[in-house]
mmCIF file of all heavy atoms in Angstrom:
data_model
loop_
_atom_site.group_PDB
_atom_site.id
_atom_site.type_symbol
_atom_site.label_atom_id
_atom_site.label_comp_id
_atom_site.label_asym_id
_atom_site.label_seq_id
_atom_site.Cartn_x
_atom_site.Cartn_y
_atom_site.Cartn_z
ATOM 1 N N PHE B 493 33.509 -0.850 99.131
ATOM 2 C CA PHE B 493 34.690 -1.684 99.362
ATOM 3 C C PHE B 493 35.930 -0.804 99.317
ATOM 4 O O PHE B 493 35.895 0.322 98.830
ATOM 5 C CB PHE B 493 34.796 -2.791 98.309
ATOM 6 C CG PHE B 493 35.101 -2.302 96.918
ATOM 7 C CD1 PHE B 493 36.389 -2.349 96.425
ATOM 8 C CD2 PHE B 493 34.102 -1.796 96.110
ATOM 9 C CE1 PHE B 493 36.676 -1.897 95.150
ATOM 10 C CE2 PHE B 493 34.381 -1.343 94.839
ATOM 11 C CZ PHE B 493 35.664 -1.393 94.348
ATOM 12 N N ASP B 494 37.010 -1.308 99.857
ATOM 13 C CA ASP B 494 38.255 -0.552 99.865
ATOM 14 C C ASP B 494 39.230 -1.148 98.871
ATOM 15 O O ASP B 494 39.193 -2.337 98.586
ATOM 16 C CB ASP B 494 38.880 -0.596 101.259
ATOM 17 C CG ASP B 494 38.039 0.150 102.272
ATOM 18 O OD1 ASP B 494 37.420 1.149 101.863
ATOM 19 O OD2 ASP B 494 37.975 -0.283 103.441
ATOM 20 N N VAL B 495 40.107 -0.307 98.387
ATOM 21 C CA VAL B 495 41.185 -0.795 97.542
ATOM 22 C C VAL B 495 42.312 -1.237 98.460
ATOM 23 O O VAL B 495 42.804 -0.461 99.265
ATOM 24 C CB VAL B 495 41.652 0.320 96.585
ATOM 25 C CG1 VAL B 495 42.844 -0.157 95.781
ATOM 26 C CG2 VAL B 495 40.521 0.733 95.676
ATOM 27 N N ALA B 496 42.682 -2.501 98.338
ATOM 28 C CA ALA B 496 43.721 -3.037 99.223
ATOM 29 C C ALA B 496 45.081 -2.512 98.784
ATOM 30 O O ALA B 496 45.453 -2.647 97.630
ATOM 31 C CB ALA B 496 43.707 -4.558 99.160
ATOM 32 N N VAL B 497 45.779 -1.884 99.693
ATOM 33 C CA VAL B 497 47.111 -1.352 99.375
ATOM 34 C C VAL B 497 48.086 -1.766 100.474
ATOM 35 O O VAL B 497 47.744 -1.792 101.654
ATOM 36 C CB VAL B 497 47.115 0.194 99.287
ATOM 37 C CG1 VAL B 497 48.402 0.674 98.645
ATOM 38 C CG2 VAL B 497 45.940 0.687 98.497
ATOM 39 N N ARG B 498 49.290 -2.088 100.072
ATOM 40 C CA ARG B 498 50.391 -2.305 101.009
ATOM 41 C C ARG B 498 51.579 -1.515 100.474
ATOM 42 O O ARG B 498 51.629 -1.192 99.300
ATOM 43 C CB ARG B 498 50.736 -3.788 101.118
ATOM 44 C CG ARG B 498 49.614 -4.635 101.667
ATOM 45 C CD ARG B 498 49.672 -4.686 103.172
ATOM 46 N NE ARG B 498 48.445 -5.297 103.699
ATOM 47 C CZ ARG B 498 48.335 -5.728 104.934
ATOM 48 N NH1 ARG B 498 49.348 -5.652 105.773
ATOM 49 N NH2 ARG B 498 47.200 -6.247 105.358
ATOM 50 N N TYR B 499 52.539 -1.257 101.340
ATOM 51 C CA TYR B 499 53.515 -0.243 100.944
ATOM 52 C C TYR B 499 54.951 -0.721 100.778
ATOM 53 O O TYR B 499 55.809 0.048 100.424
ATOM 54 C CB TYR B 499 53.461 0.920 101.945
ATOM 55 C CG TYR B 499 52.115 1.598 101.903
ATOM 56 C CD1 TYR B 499 51.080 1.210 102.747
ATOM 57 C CD2 TYR B 499 51.865 2.583 100.960
ATOM 58 C CE1 TYR B 499 49.828 1.797 102.661
ATOM 59 C CE2 TYR B 499 50.616 3.178 100.868
ATOM 60 C CZ TYR B 499 49.605 2.778 101.722
ATOM 61 O OH TYR B 499 48.377 3.347 101.619
ATOM 62 N N ASN B 500 55.245 -1.959 101.065
ATOM 63 C CA ASN B 500 56.640 -2.365 101.020
ATOM 64 C C ASN B 500 57.100 -2.879 99.666
ATOM 65 O O ASN B 500 58.288 -2.987 99.417
ATOM 66 C CB ASN B 500 56.907 -3.430 102.086
ATOM 67 C CG ASN B 500 56.740 -2.854 103.473
ATOM 68 O OD1 ASN B 500 57.062 -1.686 103.690
ATOM 69 N ND2 ASN B 500 56.210 -3.639 104.380
ATOM 70 N N GLY B 501 56.172 -3.245 98.823
ATOM 71 C CA GLY B 501 56.545 -3.628 97.475
ATOM 72 C C GLY B 501 57.352 -4.902 97.358
ATOM 73 O O GLY B 501 58.063 -5.092 96.380
ATOM 74 N N ASP B 502 57.253 -5.788 98.331
ATOM 75 C CA ASP B 502 57.969 -7.057 98.207
ATOM 76 C C ASP B 502 56.969 -8.211 98.069
ATOM 77 O O ASP B 502 55.768 -8.009 98.023
ATOM 78 C CB ASP B 502 58.901 -7.279 99.403
ATOM 79 C CG ASP B 502 58.163 -7.170 100.726
ATOM 80 O OD1 ASP B 502 56.935 -7.082 100.684
ATOM 81 O OD2 ASP B 502 58.820 -7.158 101.782
ATOM 82 N N ILE B 503 57.514 -9.417 98.004
ATOM 83 C CA ILE B 503 56.658 -10.575 97.774
ATOM 84 C C ILE B 503 55.624 -10.709 98.887
ATOM 85 O O ILE B 503 54.451 -10.985 98.645
ATOM 86 C CB ILE B 503 57.498 -11.862 97.709
ATOM 87 C CG1 ILE B 503 58.507 -11.763 96.573
ATOM 88 C CG2 ILE B 503 56.619 -13.070 97.511
ATOM 89 C CD1 ILE B 503 59.403 -12.955 96.462
ATOM 90 N N TYR B 504 56.084 -10.459 100.105
ATOM 91 C CA TYR B 504 55.193 -10.632 101.253
ATOM 92 C C TYR B 504 53.993 -9.699 101.157
ATOM 93 O O TYR B 504 52.855 -10.094 101.429
ATOM 94 C CB TYR B 504 55.985 -10.344 102.531
ATOM 95 C CG TYR B 504 55.282 -10.729 103.797
ATOM 96 C CD1 TYR B 504 54.898 -12.040 104.007
ATOM 97 C CD2 TYR B 504 55.018 -9.793 104.784
ATOM 98 C CE1 TYR B 504 54.261 -12.405 105.173
ATOM 99 C CE2 TYR B 504 54.388 -10.150 105.958
ATOM 100 C CZ TYR B 504 54.001 -11.462 106.153
ATOM 101 O OH TYR B 504 53.373 -11.817 107.295
ATOM 102 N N ASP B 505 54.247 -8.466 100.732
ATOM 103 C CA ASP B 505 53.138 -7.530 100.629
ATOM 104 C C ASP B 505 52.186 -7.900 99.499
ATOM 105 O O ASP B 505 50.985 -7.664 99.594
ATOM 106 C CB ASP B 505 53.672 -6.111 100.437
ATOM 107 C CG ASP B 505 53.928 -5.447 101.766
ATOM 108 O OD1 ASP B 505 54.097 -6.194 102.740
ATOM 109 O OD2 ASP B 505 53.936 -4.212 101.828
ATOM 110 N N ARG B 506 52.734 -8.473 98.448
ATOM 111 C CA ARG B 506 51.843 -8.915 97.369
ATOM 112 C C ARG B 506 50.930 -10.027 97.870
ATOM 113 O O ARG B 506 49.749 -10.080 97.530
ATOM 114 C CB ARG B 506 52.671 -9.405 96.183
ATOM 115 C CG ARG B 506 53.156 -8.262 95.342
ATOM 116 C CD ARG B 506 54.203 -8.673 94.345
ATOM 117 N NE ARG B 506 55.221 -7.650 94.308
ATOM 118 C CZ ARG B 506 56.505 -7.856 94.080
ATOM 119 N NH1 ARG B 506 56.928 -9.080 93.841
ATOM 120 N NH2 ARG B 506 57.345 -6.858 94.090
ATOM 121 N N TYR B 507 51.516 -10.881 98.675
ATOM 122 C CA TYR B 507 50.702 -11.941 99.281
ATOM 123 C C TYR B 507 49.621 -11.327 100.177
ATOM 124 O O TYR B 507 48.451 -11.703 100.097
ATOM 125 C CB TYR B 507 51.620 -12.885 100.066
ATOM 126 C CG TYR B 507 50.936 -13.648 101.170
ATOM 127 C CD1 TYR B 507 50.162 -14.762 100.878
ATOM 128 C CD2 TYR B 507 51.064 -13.249 102.497
ATOM 129 C CE1 TYR B 507 49.520 -15.441 101.887
ATOM 130 C CE2 TYR B 507 50.437 -13.921 103.509
ATOM 131 C CZ TYR B 507 49.661 -15.023 103.211
ATOM 132 O OH TYR B 507 49.020 -15.682 104.202
ATOM 133 N N LEU B 508 50.019 -10.343 100.988
ATOM 134 C CA LEU B 508 49.038 -9.728 101.896
ATOM 135 C C LEU B 508 47.952 -8.994 101.131
ATOM 136 O O LEU B 508 46.777 -9.027 101.508
ATOM 137 C CB LEU B 508 49.749 -8.767 102.853
ATOM 138 C CG LEU B 508 50.627 -9.438 103.899
ATOM 139 C CD1 LEU B 508 51.356 -8.394 104.712
ATOM 140 C CD2 LEU B 508 49.805 -10.323 104.819
ATOM 141 N N VAL B 509 48.342 -8.327 100.035
ATOM 142 C CA VAL B 509 47.338 -7.636 99.228
ATOM 143 C C VAL B 509 46.304 -8.637 98.717
ATOM 144 O O VAL B 509 45.105 -8.368 98.705
ATOM 145 C CB VAL B 509 48.008 -6.880 98.064
ATOM 146 C CG1 VAL B 509 46.998 -6.533 96.992
ATOM 147 C CG2 VAL B 509 48.656 -5.618 98.569
ATOM 148 N N ARG B 510 46.769 -9.804 98.349
ATOM 149 C CA ARG B 510 45.821 -10.806 97.836
ATOM 150 C C ARG B 510 44.864 -11.245 98.937
ATOM 151 O O ARG B 510 43.660 -11.396 98.697
ATOM 152 C CB ARG B 510 46.585 -11.999 97.271
ATOM 153 C CG ARG B 510 47.355 -11.610 96.044
ATOM 154 C CD ARG B 510 47.554 -12.734 95.057
ATOM 155 N NE ARG B 510 48.058 -12.144 93.830
ATOM 156 C CZ ARG B 510 49.354 -11.965 93.564
ATOM 157 N NH1 ARG B 510 50.257 -12.395 94.414
ATOM 158 N NH2 ARG B 510 49.740 -11.373 92.456
ATOM 159 N N ILE B 511 45.413 -11.451 100.133
ATOM 160 C CA ILE B 511 44.540 -11.833 101.245
ATOM 161 C C ILE B 511 43.513 -10.725 101.485
ATOM 162 O O ILE B 511 42.308 -10.978 101.621
ATOM 163 C CB ILE B 511 45.374 -12.079 102.522
ATOM 164 C CG1 ILE B 511 46.260 -13.311 102.354
ATOM 165 C CG2 ILE B 511 44.487 -12.182 103.745
ATOM 166 C CD1 ILE B 511 45.646 -14.607 102.772
ATOM 167 N N ASP B 512 44.001 -9.463 101.514
ATOM 168 C CA ASP B 512 43.089 -8.340 101.744
ATOM 169 C C ASP B 512 42.021 -8.280 100.658
ATOM 170 O O ASP B 512 40.852 -8.022 100.927
ATOM 171 C CB ASP B 512 43.865 -7.016 101.728
ATOM 172 C CG ASP B 512 44.820 -6.915 102.898
ATOM 173 O OD1 ASP B 512 44.683 -7.730 103.815
ATOM 174 O OD2 ASP B 512 45.698 -6.029 102.880
ATOM 175 N N GLU B 513 42.464 -8.496 99.430
ATOM 176 C CA GLU B 513 41.506 -8.387 98.328
ATOM 177 C C GLU B 513 40.438 -9.447 98.405
ATOM 178 O O GLU B 513 39.279 -9.198 98.058
ATOM 179 C CB GLU B 513 42.237 -8.493 96.993
ATOM 180 C CG GLU B 513 42.608 -7.146 96.478
ATOM 181 C CD GLU B 513 43.198 -7.190 95.097
ATOM 182 O OE1 GLU B 513 42.929 -8.149 94.357
ATOM 183 O OE2 GLU B 513 43.924 -6.255 94.773
ATOM 184 N N MET B 514 40.819 -10.638 98.855
ATOM 185 C CA MET B 514 39.798 -11.675 99.007
ATOM 186 C C MET B 514 38.784 -11.234 100.045
ATOM 187 O O MET B 514 37.582 -11.429 99.873
ATOM 188 C CB MET B 514 40.456 -12.988 99.425
ATOM 189 C CG MET B 514 41.166 -13.665 98.284
ATOM 190 S SD MET B 514 41.457 -15.393 98.607
ATOM 191 C CE MET B 514 42.862 -15.330 99.656
ATOM 192 N N ARG B 515 39.265 -10.600 101.121
ATOM 193 C CA ARG B 515 38.329 -10.140 102.160
ATOM 194 C C ARG B 515 37.423 -9.057 101.598
ATOM 195 O O ARG B 515 36.226 -9.014 101.894
ATOM 196 C CB ARG B 515 39.121 -9.607 103.348
ATOM 197 C CG ARG B 515 39.926 -10.699 104.034
ATOM 198 C CD ARG B 515 39.929 -10.518 105.534
ATOM 199 N NE ARG B 515 40.384 -11.737 106.180
ATOM 200 C CZ ARG B 515 41.612 -11.912 106.671
ATOM 201 N NH1 ARG B 515 42.498 -10.936 106.601
ATOM 202 N NH2 ARG B 515 41.938 -13.046 107.230
ATOM 203 N N GLU B 516 38.010 -8.171 100.772
ATOM 204 C CA GLU B 516 37.182 -7.126 100.164
ATOM 205 C C GLU B 516 36.151 -7.728 99.222
ATOM 206 O O GLU B 516 35.018 -7.268 99.141
ATOM 207 C CB GLU B 516 38.051 -6.115 99.410
ATOM 208 C CG GLU B 516 38.929 -5.251 100.294
ATOM 209 C CD GLU B 516 38.145 -4.487 101.329
ATOM 210 O OE1 GLU B 516 37.034 -4.028 101.026
ATOM 211 O OE2 GLU B 516 38.642 -4.352 102.468
ATOM 212 N N SER B 517 36.576 -8.779 98.513
ATOM 213 C CA SER B 517 35.632 -9.445 97.610
ATOM 214 C C SER B 517 34.473 -10.033 98.399
ATOM 215 O O SER B 517 33.317 -9.948 97.978
ATOM 216 C CB SER B 517 36.325 -10.553 96.828
ATOM 217 O OG SER B 517 37.182 -9.992 95.885
ATOM 218 N N ILE B 518 34.791 -10.621 99.539
ATOM 219 C CA ILE B 518 33.738 -11.169 100.394
ATOM 220 C C ILE B 518 32.785 -10.039 100.799
ATOM 221 O O ILE B 518 31.553 -10.197 100.792
ATOM 222 C CB ILE B 518 34.346 -11.832 101.643
ATOM 223 C CG1 ILE B 518 35.151 -13.067 101.256
ATOM 224 C CG2 ILE B 518 33.273 -12.179 102.665
ATOM 225 C CD1 ILE B 518 34.330 -14.268 100.922
ATOM 226 N N ARG B 519 33.402 -8.891 101.104
ATOM 227 C CA ARG B 519 32.576 -7.740 101.508
ATOM 228 C C ARG B 519 31.635 -7.336 100.371
ATOM 229 O O ARG B 519 30.458 -7.065 100.596
ATOM 230 C CB ARG B 519 33.528 -6.590 101.842
ATOM 231 C CG ARG B 519 32.901 -5.514 102.659
ATOM 232 C CD ARG B 519 34.002 -4.627 103.215
ATOM 233 N NE ARG B 519 33.635 -3.235 103.151
ATOM 234 C CZ ARG B 519 34.512 -2.243 103.229
ATOM 235 N NH1 ARG B 519 35.804 -2.500 103.339
ATOM 236 N NH2 ARG B 519 34.114 -1.000 103.196
ATOM 237 N N ILE B 520 32.158 -7.316 99.164
ATOM 238 C CA ILE B 520 31.310 -6.982 98.012
ATOM 239 C C ILE B 520 30.229 -8.041 97.852
ATOM 240 O O ILE B 520 29.051 -7.727 97.658
ATOM 241 C CB ILE B 520 32.161 -6.894 96.728
ATOM 242 C CG1 ILE B 520 33.137 -5.732 96.822
ATOM 243 C CG2 ILE B 520 31.280 -6.752 95.500
ATOM 244 C CD1 ILE B 520 34.100 -5.638 95.671
ATOM 245 N N LEU B 521 30.627 -9.303 97.976
ATOM 246 C CA LEU B 521 29.675 -10.384 97.748
ATOM 247 C C LEU B 521 28.538 -10.328 98.763
ATOM 248 O O LEU B 521 27.391 -10.628 98.445
ATOM 249 C CB LEU B 521 30.389 -11.731 97.820
ATOM 250 C CG LEU B 521 31.294 -12.030 96.619
ATOM 251 C CD1 LEU B 521 32.164 -13.237 96.893
ATOM 252 C CD2 LEU B 521 30.475 -12.255 95.374
ATOM 253 N N LYS B 522 28.882 -9.909 99.987
ATOM 254 C CA LYS B 522 27.823 -9.817 100.998
ATOM 255 C C LYS B 522 26.828 -8.733 100.622
ATOM 256 O O LYS B 522 25.656 -8.814 100.993
ATOM 257 C CB LYS B 522 28.443 -9.530 102.364
ATOM 258 C CG LYS B 522 29.040 -10.781 102.976
ATOM 259 C CD LYS B 522 29.566 -10.553 104.366
ATOM 260 C CE LYS B 522 30.087 -11.866 104.935
ATOM 261 N NZ LYS B 522 30.956 -11.642 106.087
ATOM 262 N N GLN B 523 27.298 -7.705 99.908
ATOM 263 C CA GLN B 523 26.347 -6.683 99.446
ATOM 264 C C GLN B 523 25.587 -7.154 98.218
ATOM 265 O O GLN B 523 24.510 -6.654 97.913
ATOM 266 C CB GLN B 523 27.100 -5.397 99.102
ATOM 267 C CG GLN B 523 27.841 -4.805 100.275
ATOM 268 C CD GLN B 523 28.823 -3.741 99.831
ATOM 269 O OE1 GLN B 523 28.475 -2.832 99.094
ATOM 270 N NE2 GLN B 523 30.051 -3.853 100.285
ATOM 271 N N ILE B 524 26.180 -8.099 97.513
ATOM 272 C CA ILE B 524 25.525 -8.592 96.290
ATOM 273 C C ILE B 524 24.348 -9.484 96.647
ATOM 274 O O ILE B 524 23.302 -9.458 95.991
ATOM 275 C CB ILE B 524 26.555 -9.353 95.423
ATOM 276 C CG1 ILE B 524 27.538 -8.383 94.788
ATOM 277 C CG2 ILE B 524 25.881 -10.187 94.359
ATOM 278 C CD1 ILE B 524 26.973 -7.489 93.744
ATOM 279 N N LEU B 525 24.494 -10.273 97.717
ATOM 280 C CA LEU B 525 23.457 -11.252 98.054
ATOM 281 C C LEU B 525 22.066 -10.644 98.178
ATOM 282 O O LEU B 525 21.131 -11.142 97.533
ATOM 283 C CB LEU B 525 23.841 -12.004 99.337
ATOM 284 C CG LEU B 525 24.837 -13.148 99.151
ATOM 285 C CD1 LEU B 525 25.187 -13.747 100.498
ATOM 286 C CD2 LEU B 525 24.291 -14.207 98.228
ATOM 287 N N PRO B 526 21.874 -9.556 98.974
ATOM 288 C CA PRO B 526 20.529 -8.977 99.024
ATOM 289 C C PRO B 526 20.056 -8.446 97.674
ATOM 290 O O PRO B 526 18.870 -8.527 97.351
ATOM 291 C CB PRO B 526 20.659 -7.839 100.040
ATOM 292 C CG PRO B 526 22.108 -7.620 100.217
ATOM 293 C CD PRO B 526 22.779 -8.907 99.914
ATOM 294 N N ARG B 527 20.992 -7.953 96.878
ATOM 295 C CA ARG B 527 20.605 -7.467 95.552
ATOM 296 C C ARG B 527 20.108 -8.617 94.686
ATOM 297 O O ARG B 527 19.193 -8.456 93.887
ATOM 298 C CB ARG B 527 21.789 -6.775 94.883
ATOM 299 C CG ARG B 527 22.071 -5.394 95.450
ATOM 300 C CD ARG B 527 23.306 -4.799 94.805
ATOM 301 N NE ARG B 527 23.472 -3.393 95.116
ATOM 302 C CZ ARG B 527 23.965 -2.924 96.249
ATOM 303 N NH1 ARG B 527 24.320 -3.768 97.209
ATOM 304 N NH2 ARG B 527 24.099 -1.623 96.447
ATOM 305 N N LEU B 528 20.744 -9.756 94.861
ATOM 306 C CA LEU B 528 20.300 -10.933 94.108
ATOM 307 C C LEU B 528 18.885 -11.309 94.496
ATOM 308 O O LEU B 528 18.038 -11.602 93.652
ATOM 309 C CB LEU B 528 21.227 -12.111 94.407
ATOM 310 C CG LEU B 528 22.450 -12.328 93.532
ATOM 311 C CD1 LEU B 528 23.151 -13.585 93.976
ATOM 312 C CD2 LEU B 528 22.063 -12.426 92.078
ATOM 313 N N GLU B 529 18.641 -11.311 95.799
ATOM 314 C CA GLU B 529 17.301 -11.667 96.276
ATOM 315 C C GLU B 529 16.271 -10.680 95.740
ATOM 316 O O GLU B 529 15.183 -11.050 95.331
ATOM 317 C CB GLU B 529 17.274 -11.651 97.807
ATOM 318 C CG GLU B 529 18.116 -12.729 98.466
ATOM 319 C CD GLU B 529 17.450 -14.089 98.447
ATOM 320 O OE1 GLU B 529 16.381 -14.206 97.802
ATOM 321 O OE2 GLU B 529 17.991 -15.031 99.046
ATOM 322 N N ARG B 530 16.664 -9.395 95.775
ATOM 323 C CA ARG B 530 15.717 -8.359 95.407
ATOM 324 C C ARG B 530 15.354 -8.417 93.932
ATOM 325 O O ARG B 530 14.228 -8.156 93.540
ATOM 326 C CB ARG B 530 16.327 -6.997 95.742
ATOM 327 C CG ARG B 530 15.318 -5.940 96.050
ATOM 328 C CD ARG B 530 15.987 -4.704 96.597
ATOM 329 N NE ARG B 530 16.919 -4.119 95.637
ATOM 330 C CZ ARG B 530 18.098 -3.618 95.973
ATOM 331 N NH1 ARG B 530 18.514 -3.658 97.220
ATOM 332 N NH2 ARG B 530 18.875 -3.079 95.064
ATOM 333 N N THR B 531 16.351 -8.741 93.116
ATOM 334 C CA THR B 531 16.094 -8.709 91.675
ATOM 335 C C THR B 531 15.626 -10.048 91.143
ATOM 336 O O THR B 531 15.541 -10.236 89.935
ATOM 337 C CB THR B 531 17.365 -8.309 90.919
ATOM 338 O OG1 THR B 531 18.390 -9.240 91.258
ATOM 339 C CG2 THR B 531 17.800 -6.909 91.260
ATOM 340 N N LYS B 532 15.361 -10.971 92.017
ATOM 341 C CA LYS B 532 14.980 -12.311 91.578
ATOM 342 C C LYS B 532 13.783 -12.248 90.620
ATOM 343 O O LYS B 532 12.796 -11.574 90.889
ATOM 344 C CB LYS B 532 14.632 -13.169 92.782
ATOM 345 C CG LYS B 532 14.648 -14.636 92.480
ATOM 346 C CD LYS B 532 14.676 -15.431 93.762
ATOM 347 C CE LYS B 532 15.145 -16.835 93.471
ATOM 348 N NZ LYS B 532 15.549 -17.549 94.645
ATOM 349 N N GLY B 533 13.912 -12.969 89.518
ATOM 350 C CA GLY B 533 12.823 -12.997 88.570
ATOM 351 C C GLY B 533 12.882 -11.905 87.525
ATOM 352 O O GLY B 533 12.145 -11.964 86.540
ATOM 353 N N GLU B 534 13.733 -10.926 87.743
ATOM 354 C CA GLU B 534 13.861 -9.885 86.729
ATOM 355 C C GLU B 534 14.626 -10.424 85.535
ATOM 356 O O GLU B 534 15.384 -11.377 85.651
ATOM 357 C CB GLU B 534 14.598 -8.674 87.328
ATOM 358 C CG GLU B 534 13.714 -7.875 88.250
ATOM 359 C CD GLU B 534 14.457 -6.704 88.864
ATOM 360 O OE1 GLU B 534 15.475 -6.273 88.301
ATOM 361 O OE2 GLU B 534 14.007 -6.231 89.920
ATOM 362 N N PRO B 535 14.425 -9.794 84.378
ATOM 363 C CA PRO B 535 15.114 -10.327 83.191
ATOM 364 C C PRO B 535 16.616 -10.081 83.266
ATOM 365 O O PRO B 535 17.080 -9.166 83.938
ATOM 366 C CB PRO B 535 14.495 -9.540 82.040
ATOM 367 C CG PRO B 535 14.007 -8.295 82.666
ATOM 368 C CD PRO B 535 13.586 -8.640 84.057
ATOM 369 N N ILE B 536 17.358 -10.932 82.561
ATOM 370 C CA ILE B 536 18.805 -10.744 82.511
ATOM 371 C C ILE B 536 19.204 -10.159 81.168
ATOM 372 O O ILE B 536 20.362 -9.913 80.905
ATOM 373 C CB ILE B 536 19.545 -12.067 82.724
ATOM 374 C CG1 ILE B 536 18.951 -13.151 81.833
ATOM 375 C CG2 ILE B 536 19.520 -12.477 84.168
ATOM 376 C CD1 ILE B 536 19.863 -14.298 81.605
ATOM 377 N N PHE B 537 18.254 -9.965 80.332
ATOM 378 C CA PHE B 537 18.522 -9.436 79.012
ATOM 379 C C PHE B 537 17.530 -8.337 78.722
ATOM 380 O O PHE B 537 16.330 -8.543 78.840
ATOM 381 C CB PHE B 537 18.375 -10.544 77.958
ATOM 382 C CG PHE B 537 19.623 -10.760 77.193
ATOM 383 C CD1 PHE B 537 20.485 -11.784 77.520
ATOM 384 C CD2 PHE B 537 19.943 -9.921 76.142
ATOM 385 C CE1 PHE B 537 21.657 -11.980 76.815
ATOM 386 C CE2 PHE B 537 21.107 -10.107 75.433
ATOM 387 C CZ PHE B 537 21.967 -11.141 75.772
ATOM 388 N N ALA B 538 18.025 -7.158 78.370
ATOM 389 C CA ALA B 538 17.093 -6.090 78.034
ATOM 390 C C ALA B 538 16.738 -6.149 76.561
ATOM 391 O O ALA B 538 15.585 -6.027 76.173
ATOM 392 C CB ALA B 538 17.700 -4.745 78.371
#
Side-chain angles (χ1 to χ4, degrees):
Chain B
F493 68 99
D494 293 327
V495 176
V497 193
R498 297 272 169 165
Y499 296 92
N500 294 325
D502 54 8
I503 300 178
Y504 191 59
D505 272 22
R506 279 168 221 147
Y507 156 78
L508 290 176
V509 162
R510 293 209 168 89
I511 293 270
D512 293 347
E513 267 186 24
M514 285 199 281
R515 295 218 165 102
E516 291 303 323
S517 289
I518 293 284
R519 198 166 139 199
I520 294 175
L521 288 169
K522 282 184 177 163
Q523 299 167 51
I524 288 291
L525 279 177
R527 285 176 169 79
L528 270 183
E529 293 282 7
R530 208 170 61 220
T531 57
K532 198 164 199 164
E534 285 179 22
I536 48 160
F537 239 99

